[in-house]
Amino acid sequence: MAAELEGSKSLSGLLSGLAQDTFYGHPGITEELLRSQLYPEVSPEEFRPFLMKMKGILKSIASADMDFNQLEAFLTAQTKKQGGITPEQAAVISKFWKSHKTKIRESLMNQSRWDSGLRGLSWRVDGKSQSRHSAQIHAPVAIMELEIGKSGQESEFLCLEFDELKVNQVLKKLSEVEESISTLMQPA
Amino acid sequence: MSAVGPAAAHLHRPGDSHSDCVSFLGAQLPPEVAAMPRLLGDLDRATFRKLLKLVVSSLQGEDCREAVRHLKAGADLPEEQLGALIAGTHTLLQQALRLPPASLKPDTFKNQLQELCIPQDLVVDLASVVFGSQRPLLDSVARQQGARLPHVADFRWRVDVAISTSALARSLQPSVLMHLKLSDGSALHFEVPTAKFQELRFAVALVLKEMTELEKRCERKLQD
């Protein structure tokens, strides 16, 4: 393997670039860009298989959402393979995955979310005092603004009104949901 | 109710209440109410009771067009006068019902109507609507009729766990799917990731706490 390809700083940069392209969907990160920025001494013919190998490794790790034990085992196996990676490269990949794991996982999960999702929530509590129909109401009312949007699209904002009874009912249902999730996620 | 007649007449109208407090009808008597005594004098009581029933139904949110047609057919009153009476009675009752019973007492109400020269027996009928057994229903309708944002009429949920996806071989991430039906007829469904769900639950609990505290504070301060 060419000495230039062993440099860890460049590899770290390469992995970041691959993540941007493969996982976060940022456009414009071409093979030529990566080579010229990170491995200018290396020829395109030599660079391509190297890039493909790293991409393959990163994709395997991300797709399996490897924990650190699995990661160590996987990378060790890669170092022992013919045409695999060096221990130094394994260390760089390991470090990269440890710091980017959560973000990459979130991004991958979003790729499989096609429905609208709740992006944000704001609220306020008002005291209703008067209306055309009633001079004294004294009722607290909650106004919630839900930010809802689909992946890659602009959010829609929706304002809803709740009286105390309704808030109570919603809270009760959310508790049911919470219980359902807890039961589901308990280790078998 | 749109103002009738030239504006100048209203500006120079003398105060209608002889007592110190402002009438429940406001500082300026609505013209449709001012027109009532003149029209009520000769009206037979049966017709008035039918008219009153019609106005009460309308205040309860019912569609009264058929009832109005019926009344018009049965009464020997010109259409304009009937319209004026319906408008006047509606305004009168609506203004009285706006105020809580603690603010507008039955005697005050009756006195103020008498000052307007509304016949005594009709005053009794009107008072029975405002202070009688129908009041709670009229109050609850009024609460719902106020200017409002849409509210949640129905709320359903589902917890899904994505086992595997095209992007992640092993996902195992629970997600809450919510389906809301709103009061304006529209439906909303969206996914709530676990982290957002916790945020939502916390926010709703906090809102409830704030509302309870606000209610306690309001009760203490806004007593009449």
Side-chain angles (χ1 to χ4, degrees):
Chain A
M1 207 178 296
E4 294 89 358
L5 289 171
E6 286 183 24
S8 3
K9 203 165 153 208
S10 303
L11 180 58
S12 204
L14 186 73
L15 294 172
S16 287
L18 280 173
Q20 292 291 328
D21 174 51
T22 316
F23 305 127
Y24 306 144
H26 287 168
I29 308 210
T30 60
E31 185 181 316
E32 183 48 34
L33 180 73
L34 290 171
R35 191 196 67 79
S36 59
Q37 293 291 306
L38 299 164
Y39 296 91
E41 309 293 303
V42 179
S43 69
E45 297 77 27
E46 228 186 315
F47 181 70
R48 177 166 303 137
F50 173 70
L51 181 68
M52 291 298 117
K53 183 166 62 182
M54 289 303 155
K55 195 170 179 178
I57 289 174
L58 196 58
K59 271 183 134 173
S60 297
I61 297 171
S63 167
D65 191 34
M66 289 186 191
D67 62 30
F68 303 132
N69 290 335
Q70 291 168 319
L71 180 70
E72 291 309 312
F74 176 74
L75 288 174
T76 308
Q78 291 294 312
T79 57
K80 296 199 159 65
K81 253 172 67 176
Q82 176 76 303
I85 58 177
T86 66
E88 292 78 22
Q89 287 170 336
V92 174
I93 295 171
S94 179
K95 191 168 168 222
F96 179 82
W97 179 244
K98 281 174 185 167
S99 44
H100 289 82
K101 179 187 199 303
T102 314
K103 201 167 164 212
I104 290 176
R105 185 181 149 85
E106 188 59 37
S107 190
L108 288 176
M109 289 200 294
N110 277 335
Q111 284 180 20
S112 303
R113 284 193 182 126
W114 307 295
D115 288 334
S116 306
L118 183 68
R119 287 179 175 168
L121 169 74
S122 312
W123 59 267
R124 75 168 199 249
V125 173
D126 286 354
K128 259 194 195 172
S129 63
Q130 291 195 34
S131 82
R132 182 168 169 256
H133 301 275
S134 184
Q136 283 180 19
I137 307 180
H138 300 185
V141 63
I143 297 177
M144 291 202 202
E145 184 188 70
L146 302 175
E147 183 188 350
I148 293 172
K150 280 196 181 157
S151 187
Q153 289 177 12
E154 262 186 48
S155 297
E156 193 190 317
F157 291 87
L158 191 74
C159 272
L160 298 175
E161 197 178 284
F162 297 80
D163 61 21
E164 215 172 323
L165 184 65
K166 195 45 91 170
V167 174
N168 230 331
Q169 285 172 354
V170 169
L171 191 60
K172 193 153 167 276
K173 288 221 162 144
L174 293 179
S175 299
E176 287 169 15
V177 176
E178 171 66 31
E179 218 183 288
S180 172
I181 294 177
S182 301
T183 315
L184 208 60
M185 300 314 283
Q186 251 170 36
Chain B
M1 304 284 177
S2 57
V4 168
H10 293 254
L11 289 171
H12 298 295
R13 190 181 289 276
D16 290 290
S17 176
H18 297 298
S19 56
D20 283 334
C21 62
V22 178
S23 159
F24 74 91
L25 291 159
Q28 279 178 8
L29 192 66
E32 61 271 21
V33 177
M36 278 176 75
R38 181 171 34 93
L39 299 167
L40 285 171
D42 299 322
L43 185 68
D44 77 272
R45 294 313 183 236
T47 308
F48 180 75
R49 293 214 165 90
K50 281 201 201 121
L51 185 144
L52 187 60
K53 198 152 169 273
L54 191 157
V55 171
V56 172
S57 295
S58 140
L59 287 168
Q60 285 172 352
E62 293 166 24
D63 185 345
C64 296
R65 284 172 290 187
E66 194 52 50
V68 173
R69 271 193 286 269
H70 207 68
L71 186 69
K72 218 166 45 184
D76 57 355
L77 214 61
E79 192 173 330
E80 282 152 28
Q81 284 188 20
L82 197 62
L85 272 173
I86 293 175
T89 313
H90 188 279
T91 300
L92 196 150
L93 286 176
Q94 193 176 53
Q95 291 301 99
L97 288 167
R98 259 193 99 238
L99 300 166
S103 294
L104 179 66
K105 301 219 166 40
D107 289 336
T108 317
F109 176 73
K110 286 182 193 162
N111 290 339
Q112 287 180 0
L113 289 187
Q114 275 159 6
E115 278 172 22
L116 290 174
C117 306
I118 295 189
Q120 178 61 19
D121 53 340
L122 300 185
V123 168
V124 171
D125 285 344
L126 291 164
S128 75
V129 170
V130 177
F131 300 101
S133 55
Q134 285 172 311
R135 184 61 188 266
L137 176 62
L138 291 166
D139 280 347
S140 92
V141 170
R143 265 194 296 274
Q144 286 171 31
Q145 278 174 347
R148 298 181 63 159
L149 291 167
H151 63 271
V152 174
D154 187 35
F155 167 24
R156 294 191 203 170
W157 58 268
R158 192 172 94 199
V159 172
D160 275 1
V161 177
I163 299 172
S164 182
T165 74
S166 48
L168 268 179
R170 190 192 73 166
S171 181
L172 294 181
Q173 184 76 5
S175 202
V176 184
L177 296 173
M178 296 202 184
H179 182 96
L180 304 177
K181 235 189 253 169
L182 303 182
S183 57
D184 62 2
S186 57
L188 201 63
H189 51 247
F190 52 88
E191 191 181 325
V192 187
T194 320
K196 269 280 170 274
F197 173 75
Q198 296 303 340
E199 212 181 291
L200 176 66
R201 198 162 147 248
F202 179 75
V204 174
L206 188 56
V207 164
L208 186 62
K209 176 172 165 285
E210 292 293 327
M211 287 175 93
T212 315
E213 276 176 23
L214 182 64
E215 198 171 24
K216 284 197 206 125
R217 265 182 274 145
C218 278
E219 268 171 26
R220 282 200 297 267
K221 274 194 195 158
L222 297 174
Q223 286 302 337
D224 223 356

